Amino acid sequence: MRTCSLLTLFCVTCVVPLFAAKPLPANTPQQQPTAFQQELIQVQKAFLDAQERGDAEYVKNAVADNFMVIETNGDSSGKDDLVHSVRATHEAGPKAILYDFNVVQLDADCAVVSYKAVFPGTQIERYQHRSDTWVKEGGQWKLKFEQATLNLWSAHDLD
């Protein structure tokens, strides 16, 4: 019993202050995006804008022929389904709120753009995290892969 008390006293007096004395990292301001990152964010935003305004021709030209998407429910589909959905679902309504764009450069001609989205007017799929993989083909950025994931902590929020 006495050994246990001495060990506890040792930990409290010697080990705990080591962790307590260590300063927490300061919040560092976000660095400005590089030219590459800015370019991909603009490409991503232009693509999303084309989807919202129902510009199926723009979407068709911006998507690689072997494109694949993984939807929030786990289903997958390709380019034809995506282009068709732009035509089928275009309606004037509240715009999606897109924010927190991040770009991970994989090489000079490939990057992943991830962002968060809020889709007003929907309940179950309202809050999402999306990741899009872009590749440069013939000097033009093409969307090759997309995955949408529900933000479950808020998926069932009701207004």
Side-chain angles (χ1 to χ4, degrees):
M1 181 75 176
R2 181 133 170 90
T3 306
C4 182
S5 296
L6 288 175
L7 183 58
T8 302
L9 181 61
F10 173 78
C11 287
V12 169
T13 58
C14 297
V15 177
V16 171
L18 290 175
F19 291 106
K22 186 175 181 180
L24 296 174
N27 288 339
T28 56
Q30 281 191 326
Q31 295 178 351
Q32 291 296 322
T34 65
F36 182 87
Q37 292 168 328
Q38 288 175 357
E39 178 183 5
L40 266 296
I41 290 170
Q42 291 305 335
V43 165
Q44 182 72 57
K45 287 180 177 180
F47 177 78
L48 295 168
D49 185 57
Q51 282 184 300
E52 278 199 351
R53 70 177 183 268
D55 190 343
E57 193 61 30
Y58 183 99
V59 171
K60 181 180 177 183
N61 290 327
V63 174
D65 289 335
N66 59 349
F67 168 79
M68 181 176 152
V69 60
I70 306 295
E71 301 289 346
T72 57
N73 64 0
D75 288 346
S76 62
S77 60
K79 180 176 181 172
D80 291 340
D81 291 329
L82 177 66
V83 172
H84 178 72
S85 72
V86 171
R87 288 188 194 122
T89 61
H90 176 61
E91 300 173 5
K95 292 186 85 162
I97 301 165
L98 310 169
Y99 63 101
D100 200 15
F101 285 83
N102 293 292
V103 177
V104 176
Q105 184 173 355
L106 302 176
D107 66 28
D109 295 330
C110 184
V112 177
V113 179
S114 65
Y115 59 96
K116 296 177 184 172
V118 179
F119 296 99
T122 62
Q123 291 303 323
I124 301 301
E125 295 184 355
R126 177 178 220 147
Y127 302 99
Q128 297 180 19
H129 296 280
R130 291 188 169 202
S131 295
D132 290 0
T133 303
W134 292 88
V135 295
K136 199 172 255 188
E137 294 179 355
Q140 180 185 354
W141 287 107
K142 298 278 190 171
L143 183 59
K144 188 91 157 174
F145 178 80
E146 178 177 81
Q147 180 160 2
T149 305
L150 290 177
N151 185 349
L152 292 179
W153 65 264
S154 58
H156 300 291
D157 287 353
L158 300 175
D159 290 331

